[in-house]
Amino acid sequence: MAQPLTIFDVAGRAMSAQLVRMNTTASNLANAGGVAGSEADAYRSMKPVFKTSYDKASGMATVDVTQVVTAGPAPTKRHDPNNPMANADGDVWESAVDETREMVDMLETARTYKNNVEVLQTAKSLILDTLRLGK
């Protein structure tokens, strides 16, 4: 029989999921404005797919990342014959990363991660206070 989830498990898994989200956002921002010689080679934004997991033993829910998928608009074709990445027709494909949206996602992710750190700190503090009462 599996052990029931603790608040530490729940917050830890949520922090892991937010770390994946932060890494995909950072990758998207790093590739904003990047160009390629073909649409197939052009960078596409990535987003994690989250799944809520319920623990019947504890009654708590947590989150897991099930996969990372490409999302958002297709790369934009632009005529730029002087670009070394241009194809035979002089076209390049620019990644369609929305930098503003990615920055908002990054701020939200950082805030959510910080909230989970605070949950862990509060739980730890409550456990220590409870132990002190027993002395």
Side-chain angles (χ1 to χ4, degrees):
M1 183 172 174
Q3 292 289 326
L5 288 176
T6 67
I7 190 66
F8 298 104
D9 296 325
V10 173
R13 286 169 67 175
M15 290 169 64
S16 293
Q18 291 306 318
L19 186 58
V20 171
R21 184 177 177 199
M22 182 67 77
N23 286 335
T24 57
T25 301
S27 181
N28 292 342
L29 285 170
N31 286 287
V35 296
S38 71
E39 185 174 8
D41 292 337
Y43 182 83
R44 286 177 164 71
S45 294
M46 298 184 299
K47 297 291 179 192
V49 177
F50 298 107
K51 177 185 172 205
T52 301
S53 300
Y54 296 98
D55 180 43
K56 291 180 183 178
S58 67
M60 290 194 264
T62 189
V63 66
D64 293 304
V65 175
T66 58
Q67 62 181 330
V68 175
V69 298
T70 56
T76 307
K77 182 177 166 181
R78 179 169 46 95
H79 189 69
D80 187 1
N82 295 325
N83 190 310
M85 299 290 292
N87 65 9
D89 297 327
D91 296 325
V92 293
W93 280 261
E94 186 173 356
S95 64
V97 174
D98 182 347
E99 294 174 81
T100 303
R101 180 180 176 172
E102 296 299 329
M103 289 301 294
V104 169
D105 281 352
M106 186 171 277
L107 290 171
E108 183 181 307
T109 303
R111 194 173 309 122
T112 303
Y113 190 91
K114 182 181 178 214
N115 289 345
N116 281 292
V117 168
E118 290 174 6
V119 165
L120 290 174
Q121 289 173 337
T122 300
K124 177 184 163 191
S125 179
L126 290 172
I127 289 170
L128 290 174
D129 289 347
T130 303
L131 291 172
R132 282 190 207 108
L133 287 175
K135 286 185 180 182

